[in-house]
Amino acid sequence: MDLPGERGKMRAADGDRDRVVGFLSTAYTEGRLSKDEYDARLESVLSARTYADLDRVVADLPVAPATVVTPAAKTAAVTPVAKINGLAIASFTCGLAQVAFGPLATIPAIVCGHMARSQIRRTGEQGAGLALAGLILGWAAVILGIVVIVVGLAISIGMHGTMPMH
């Protein structure tokens, strides 16, 4: 059983800090905080370690602190579906586009795939599979290109070695 005092001692995650930053941003855009107050509180949120630290930052604002979640609210709350990362979609699309456009789409597939995977780990968005597929397609094209060049060179060297020189 979670007692309120025990919850305050629990360590906050990045997602908890992000929710409080969103709450502060809303309060700032509504005119409840000045720019200086917003900046000071934002710094406090980013260095907060526990739920109690986060709750102190928003305690005087009119809406309940963003980190307070009762067990009843947990079961009743509808979890929004995370959106698909745009770079993951771009990576997969570029990986498939290599069929039509050749190596022009290879580098964007790889770069977008790595960036998407990093963003997905940080934000919790969907699309990890798309990013991975884009990466695999991109790197497969690079490896295939290297193999074709090596085989081409080997054939070229082999042909020159068997031709008589005049």
Side-chain angles (χ1 to χ4, degrees):
M1 185 164 106
D2 244 359
L3 297 174
E6 291 177 8
R7 187 179 186 304
K9 295 176 187 175
M10 289 177 52
R11 293 190 60 100
D14 289 339
D16 300 318
R17 283 184 278 279
D18 291 343
R19 280 189 290 282
V20 174
V21 167
F23 181 74
L24 288 176
S25 296
T26 300
Y28 175 66
T29 58
E30 291 175 347
R32 299 181 194 281
L33 297 173
S34 69
K35 177 70 172 142
D36 292 335
E37 288 175 313
Y38 173 75
D39 290 340
R41 289 179 189 224
L42 187 62
E43 188 175 317
S44 296
V45 167
L46 296 177
S47 63
R49 293 185 180 264
T50 65
Y51 286 117
D53 295 338
L54 293 175
D55 289 341
R56 274 190 290 275
V57 174
V58 296
D60 64 333
L61 295 172
V63 178
T67 59
V68 175
V69 178
T70 63
K74 272 186 191 178
T75 58
V78 175
T79 306
V81 177
K83 68 178 186 132
I84 297 176
N85 184 281
L87 288 173
I89 295 169
S91 175
F92 183 67
T93 303
C94 289
L96 291 177
Q98 294 175 120
V99 174
F101 300 107
L104 291 175
T106 301
I107 292 175
I110 294 169
V111 170
C112 288
H114 282 293
M115 289 173 58
R117 287 174 55 88
S118 173
Q119 284 181 0
I120 289 167
R121 276 192 297 274
R122 196 176 66 245
T123 64
E125 292 176 308
Q126 298 293 314
L130 291 173
L132 182 61
L135 275 171
I136 290 170
L137 290 169
W139 283 113
V142 168
I143 292 168
L144 181 63
I146 291 170
V147 168
V148 167
I149 290 171
V150 168
V151 169
L153 285 173
I155 290 172
S156 175
I157 290 171
M159 292 177 88
H160 286 289
T162 60
M163 296 177 94
M165 299 193 63
H166 292 285

